[in-house]
Amino acid sequence: MSATYRVAVRALCEFTAREGDLDHRFTPAPSAQEGIQGHTLVASRRGADYIAELPLSGIFEGLTVTGRADGFDPTANRLEEVKTHRGSLERMADNQRALHWAQVKVYGALLCKERGLGHITLTLVYLEIASGKETLLSQEASAEELEVFFADQCQRFLAWAEQEAGHRLHRDSALHSLRFPHTAFRSGQRELAEDVYKATSTGRCLLAQAPTGIGKTLGTLFPMLSAMPRQRLDRIAFLTMKTPGRRLALDALATLRTRHDDEEALPLRVLELVAREKACEYPDRACHGESCPLAAGFYDRLPAARQAAVAQQWLDRDALRDVALAHDVCPYYLGQELARWADVIVGDVNHWFDSHALLHSLAQANDWRTGVLVDEAHNLVERARGMYSAELDQQRLSRLRRVAPKALSRPLGRLARQWQAVFKDAGVEDVGEPGKPVYRLLTTLPDKLVAAAQQVGAAITDHLGEHPEDATLELQELLFESLAFCRLAERFGDHSLCDLTRHGRGRALLGLRNLIPGDFLAPRFNTAHSVVLFSATLSPAHYYRDLLGLPGNTVWQEVASPFAAHQLEVRVRSDISTRFRDREASVEPMVATMAQQYQRKPGHYLAFFSSFAYLEAVLAKFREAHSEIAVFSQTRGMPEAQREAFLARFTPGGKGIGFAVLGGAFAEGIDLPGDRLIGAFVATLGLPPFNDFNEALKARLSARFGQGDDYTYRIPGMIKVVQAAGRVIRSPDDEGVVVLMDDRFAQTSVRALLPRWWSPG
C-alpha cells in the first residue's frame, strides 16, 4: 500500500492496545483544562532544553503515523508521556497502563528514527492534580526493540488501514457518479442543492432558507455527498433537533444508497447516534464488567464487532443493536467507536456543538475535513444557549449535607454560607415559603460562591479518589453540577448573565445563562470544512450570523417558494389585540372568528396561543358558544402517548379544531398534508414574556449588536408564528387558510418578517 492512510498515535494505540472490560464506573478525573494546566506544570519543572509538544511522524509500509509527544529532554535523552490523575494511582486499571506504555513506545520509535538515536529512556509521568506530585515510571529501550514494537502495532492496524483506504477509494469513486434518485427535482429543490454544492466546494458556511415541502433533507444530502470526493471530505454529519429529523435523514440516505436496479448499493457507511439511555440494554446495571455482561470483555470482542459493523455499512439504531448483541457488546459504546469509521453520521446537534461534542472532538483529534448539515437550524440559537448555561441548586446541597461523608462537611458548609451571603447581597435573605418566587439579576458573578463551589468539586473529587465506595448518585450529581458551573464561570463575560431565583427557604437556583451562543460556537464552525444550516425560517440573516457566531463569509440564500399566494389565504384580524391587558376582551372576537371560518369551510384546524392560560380561556368560551364543533386540546406536560393521540385526530376528511401553544410540540416538526389540516389560527405574535430576564437580554443584545428589541422579542416571536402557520401548506397541492389575530400583524416591520410568497389581506 502506498503512503495514503494516516493515523494518529493515540488512535493507533487505542485500536491495537486496548483489551479487557469496558469500565465506566465513576472515577475522579481532571477536567480538560486541568489536564492542560498539568502538562504545562510538568514542562515548567524541566530544564531549559526540554521540548514540549514535540511533533513526530513516520511511515510503515504506506501507513503514516503522526502525533505530538508530550515532552523530550535531549540532555537526559528521556521521552515523557504525561498523564494527569486524581487519587491513588494504584486504582488505575492494568489495561489503561498498557495503553499508556504503548503510546510512549510508539513515540519513542518515531523519535529514534527521526534523530538517529540508538537508545532512549521512556517515562510515564503521572501527575496527581490535587497535590502536584509526580510519579515517574521509566524503562530503557533500544531503537531496535522500539522499531519492532512500532512495526507490530502497525502490522496489527495495517489490514484495517488497507481496508479503510480501499473503502475510501470505492466510496469516492461511487460518489463521483452519484445520480439524483428521482426522475426530477421538486420545485426549488435543485436550487437548494446547487447552493449546498457551491458552499461545500468553496468551504463556506451557508444559511439556506427553503420552504417546507421541497425535500430539504434530500436536497442537502445529495449535493454534499456529490462534493465529498471532490473536496476530500472525510465525514458528513447530519445533525437534527428532534428524533423525527433523524428518521427523515435516514430515509433520504436509504434512497440514495439504493441507486438503480443494475447497480450495487452505494458503498456508504451510515451511522445513527442515539442517546445512551435509549441504547442501553441493561438500564438497571452499572456500566462496568462486574455488573453488565455487555461491558465484560468489551475490548476483547470489539474487533470482531467493529469488522462486522463496517461490513454491514447501514447502521441505524436497530441494525447497530443487532450487530452489537450478536457480538455481546454494548450497542451505545459500539456506536461511539463506529463514529470514527462511518462516512455519514446522523445524530443530535449536541454531537458537534456542545462543550463535550463527540464528533467535534474526533474531527479535531483526527484532523478530519467535515461537512456539517444542520436541520431545523432556526432552533440552534436556543439549543446552544442551553448547552452553555448551568445552574447550582441549593436544595441539592441541603439534602447532601445531611448524608455526606464527614470529610466533606467543611467545604459543603462553606458553600452553604456563601449561599446566604448571596441572598443578603441580592436582598432576598428574608424570603420564606410558600410564596411567589423572587427573581434577581446579579450585576456581577458571586466570586466567593464560585470559589466555594470549586472547592466542593475538588473536595468531592479528592474524596472519591480515595474512597470510591462513597460515590453515591447524589454526591456525583453535586460534583457534576459544580464542575459544569465553575467551567462556565471561568469563561464568564458579556455573552452570559448570572441570575438568582429563590422559591423559598432552602430552595434557590443560581444560574449562568448564555445569551450569545456565538462566542462559544464560532470555533465549532471554524473546525468544519463547511456547515449548511437550513430551515423554512432563517431570516433575517443577520440575526443568525450575529447570535450563532457564523464566519464573516457565510452565504445566505433563500429558495423561492414553490407555493403560490392563491394556495394560502392569509387574513389579518387587525381589530383584535392579544396584549396582556387586552386578553379578556379578545376572547369573544377570537371565538367568533374561528367559528365563522370553520362554518365557512369545515375541516381540521389548529389554533395557537401564547400560553396555556390564554388557550384555556378561549377554549372554555368556544365550547360554551359552539358545542356543535369538535375541539381538542394540548395540555400541560402532555405525555408522548397523548401527543400521538392528539395528532391522530387529524385524519383525512376529518373535522375539528385542535388548540395548542405556540412554540410547543404541535407548532413545528409535524406533517399533516392534504386535508388533514386546512387552516390555522395564530392568536399572538409569539413574543417572549416581558420580564427582568428578557429585558436584560435586550440590553445585552442592544449593546453588542444594536438590535435589542428585534433580537429579543420580535424576531424570535415571528419565527414561531411562521413555523406554526407552516403546518398548513405541506405539498404543492395543498390549500388552506391562516388567520393572524392581532393588530400588530398589520405593522410594516412585522409583515417584513412574514414569508414573501404570502399575501396577507
Side-chain angles (χ1 to χ4, degrees):
M1 181 178 73
S2 60
T4 56
Y5 196 88
R6 299 173 65 87
V7 65
V9 170
R10 181 170 180 173
L12 171 69
C13 294
E14 286 183 342
F15 191 95
T16 60
R18 302 195 80 162
E19 57 187 23
D21 294 354
L22 183 71
D23 193 339
H24 281 271
R25 279 176 285 199
F26 173 76
T27 52
S31 66
Q33 186 63 34
E34 287 175 326
I36 293 171
Q37 292 170 350
H39 280 67
T40 302
L41 175 61
V42 170
S44 71
R45 293 171 172 175
R46 302 300 186 255
D49 295 335
Y50 188 78
I51 305 171
E53 294 292 312
L54 176 64
L56 294 168
S57 65
I59 297 175
F60 180 86
E61 295 184 9
L63 177 66
T64 300
V65 182
T66 64
R68 286 181 178 272
D70 289 332
F72 175 56
D73 184 343
T75 303
N77 193 33
R78 186 173 70 193
L79 182 69
E80 295 185 337
E81 179 72 10
V82 180
K83 302 294 182 184
T84 56
H85 71 102
R86 285 189 181 277
S88 174
L89 195 58
E90 294 176 0
R91 281 194 296 274
M92 181 173 289
D94 291 341
N95 58 5
Q96 192 71 13
R97 182 73 53 76
L99 177 62
H100 298 163
W101 276 121
Q103 290 174 352
V104 73
K105 286 179 180 179
V106 170
Y107 281 126
L110 296 175
L111 182 63
C112 288
K113 182 81 169 179
E114 181 178 289
R115 300 203 172 200
L117 303 176
H119 64 90
I120 195 169
T121 301
L122 303 177
T123 300
L124 295 179
V125 181
Y126 289 104
L127 177 73
E128 208 286 318
I129 286 294
S131 65
K133 176 186 175 183
E134 292 183 28
T135 301
L136 276 61
L137 305 177
S138 297
Q139 61 178 254
E140 301 297 319
S142 67
E144 291 80 3
E145 63 184 284
L146 290 176
E147 181 62 27
V148 170
F149 181 83
F150 176 68
D152 179 57
Q153 304 308 300
C154 291
Q155 286 283 10
R156 294 170 66 184
F157 185 75
L158 208 52
W160 183 267
E162 290 173 344
Q163 171 188 280
E164 291 303 290
H167 168 73
R168 177 72 173 253
L169 287 173
H170 191 199
R171 179 200 79 182
D172 286 354
S173 175
L175 289 176
H176 268 294
S177 58
L178 182 65
R179 287 180 284 176
F180 193 68
H182 303 304
T183 55
F185 287 88
R186 295 183 189 179
S187 178
Q189 194 177 37
R190 178 185 289 277
E191 183 183 347
L192 173 62
E194 290 174 351
D195 290 337
V196 173
Y197 187 86
K198 290 175 184 176
T200 308
S201 298
T202 56
R204 292 186 176 187
C205 288
L206 169 68
L207 281 167
Q209 178 168 286
T212 298
I214 69 166
K216 291 193 290 291
T217 304
L218 189 58
T220 53
L221 275 167
F222 169 70
M224 188 166 277
L225 284 168
S226 297
M228 197 173 193
R230 297 165 177 85
Q231 299 305 315
R232 306 188 312 283
L233 295 185
D234 299 295
R235 306 289 185 273
I236 290 175
F238 190 102
L239 308 176
T240 69
M241 303 290 165
K242 298 177 182 178
T243 301
R246 292 208 309 267
R247 188 71 259 164
L248 289 173
L250 291 167
D251 289 346
L253 287 162
T255 301
L256 286 163
R257 286 182 77 249
T258 302
R259 306 220 282 180
H260 301 281
D261 293 339
D262 59 339
E263 296 176 313
E264 65 174 333
L266 185 69
L268 194 71
R269 295 178 188 158
V270 175
L271 172 69
E272 179 185 12
L273 289 176
V274 299
R276 179 174 172 175
E277 59 270 18
K278 293 183 179 179
C280 182
E281 291 291 316
Y282 296 96
D284 58 330
R285 308 282 186 91
C287 194
H288 59 82
E290 295 174 16
S291 177
C292 178
L294 300 183
F298 175 87
Y299 289 110
D300 300 328
R301 295 191 295 274
L302 176 60
R306 180 172 52 208
Q307 185 64 56
V310 298
Q312 180 163 315
Q313 298 197 345
W314 182 261
L315 297 164
D316 63 4
R317 177 180 177 177
D318 292 338
L320 179 66
R321 178 177 182 269
D322 289 344
V323 172
L325 297 185
H327 291 81
D328 294 322
V329 298
C330 171
Y332 175 74
Y333 285 103
L334 178 60
Q336 299 284 291
E337 168 67 20
L338 292 171
R340 294 160 168 79
W341 313 110
D343 302 311
V344 182
I345 301 103
V346 178
D348 190 88
V349 290
N350 69 316
H351 289 305
W352 186 266
F353 289 106
D354 81 10
S355 57
H356 302 289
L358 170 69
L359 295 180
H360 181 257
S361 298
L362 288 174
Q364 284 188 305
N366 297 287
D367 199 24
W368 286 347
R369 288 170 67 87
T370 311
V372 179
L373 297 168
V374 183
D375 191 12
E376 300 292 349
H378 63 278
N379 285 309
L380 187 55
V381 172
E382 283 305 313
R383 280 290 301 273
R385 280 174 171 158
M387 293 174 195
Y388 294 96
S389 296
E391 285 183 339
L392 286 179
D393 185 342
Q394 186 194 19
Q395 197 168 23
R396 174 172 285 128
L397 171 65
S398 300
R399 287 196 305 266
L400 186 60
R401 286 186 72 191
R402 294 192 289 268
V403 298
K406 187 175 181 180
L408 297 175
S409 60
R410 181 172 294 179
L412 292 174
R414 188 181 301 116
L415 179 57
R417 290 191 295 275
Q418 287 305 321
W419 268 105
Q420 298 307 315
V422 169
F423 295 152
K424 183 176 181 180
D425 291 343
V428 297
E429 69 270 24
D430 296 326
V431 174
E433 56 178 311
K436 185 178 179 181
V438 176
Y439 181 80
R440 293 286 188 274
L441 287 166
L442 306 185
T443 55
T444 60
L445 198 64
D447 293 331
K448 291 183 179 179
L449 186 143
V450 173
Q454 288 175 326
Q455 291 167 358
V456 163
I460 294 174
T461 302
D462 293 342
H463 179 79
L464 294 182
E466 298 301 324
H467 303 280
E469 68 278 4
D470 289 344
T472 64
L473 178 62
E474 291 169 331
L475 200 59
Q476 291 180 50
E477 284 179 342
L478 181 61
L479 172 60
F480 298 149
E481 182 181 272
S482 300
L483 294 177
F485 190 91
C486 292
R487 277 196 295 269
L488 286 176
E490 290 175 358
R491 301 182 64 181
F492 188 70
D494 70 349
H495 49 65
S496 302
L497 58 76
C498 185
D499 63 9
L500 176 70
T501 306
R502 195 173 191 200
H503 297 273
R505 195 170 304 281
R507 297 187 297 120
L509 295 173
L510 183 69
L512 287 180
R513 317 289 178 189
N514 178 249
L515 309 178
I516 306 171
D519 289 8
F520 295 97
L521 298 185
R524 307 297 162 124
F525 289 109
N526 292 333
T527 299
H529 171 75
S530 176
V531 180
V532 175
L533 303 107
F534 58 99
S535 169
T537 47
L538 279 181
S539 62
H542 57 79
Y543 173 78
Y544 294 98
R545 289 177 190 269
D546 288 345
L547 291 183
L548 294 177
L550 294 171
N553 65 350
T554 297
V555 177
W556 185 86
Q557 293 285 357
E558 181 177 13
V559 176
S561 174
F563 309 131
H566 69 80
Q567 289 181 259
L568 184 67
E569 179 188 359
V570 181
R571 299 208 314 272
V572 175
R573 283 297 306 269
S574 57
D575 58 331
I576 296 176
S577 168
T578 65
R579 295 170 181 85
F580 189 78
R581 64 177 181 270
D582 301 323
R583 292 281 167 88
E584 188 174 346
S586 71
V587 172
E588 284 200 20
M590 278 186 186
V591 168
T593 299
M594 294 163 64
Q596 288 166 8
Q597 173 58 39
Y598 183 89
Q599 289 157 359
R600 174 185 165 202
K601 187 171 183 179
H604 269 140
Y605 293 82
L606 273 169
F608 295 100
F609 300 86
S610 56
S611 67
F612 279 106
Y614 203 3
L615 178 157
E616 288 159 2
V618 178
L619 178 61
K621 190 67 177 179
F622 194 95
R623 280 176 167 154
E624 177 186 324
H626 300 283
S627 58
E628 75 282 4
I629 299 176
V631 292
F632 43 101
S633 176
Q634 179 181 2
T635 57
R636 291 178 172 88
M638 202 172 192
E640 185 174 352
Q642 291 184 22
R643 293 200 300 269
E644 292 175 355
F646 181 95
L647 291 174
R649 297 284 296 267
F650 292 86
T651 55
K655 299 174 184 177
I657 302 176
F659 284 64
V661 172
L662 197 69
F666 306 114
E668 64 174 81
I670 63 169
D671 196 21
L672 301 170
D675 64 358
R676 292 178 65 190
L677 182 69
I678 65 169
F681 306 97
V682 182
T684 172
L685 262 67
L687 302 180
F690 180 86
N691 57 30
D692 289 345
F693 175 84
N694 282 325
E695 283 298 285
L697 173 60
K698 174 182 171 180
R700 199 68 60 86
L701 297 179
S702 182
R704 176 81 76 96
F705 306 115
Q707 299 273 349
D709 194 60
D710 278 354
Y711 281 14
T712 304
Y713 295 108
R714 188 174 294 115
I715 293 173
M718 290 304 294
I719 289 170
K720 293 179 183 178
V721 169
V722 174
Q723 279 289 324
R727 301 311 96 202
V728 178
I729 303 296
R730 308 296 293 174
S731 72
D733 299 324
D734 284 357
E735 292 186 357
V737 61
V738 169
V739 183
L740 305 174
M741 298 186 290
D742 191 286
D743 60 279
R744 289 165 290 183
F745 283 116
Q747 296 174 2
T748 302
S749 59
V750 172
R751 290 203 176 198
L753 298 172
L754 297 174
R756 283 195 260 184
W757 66 276
W758 287 14
S759 183

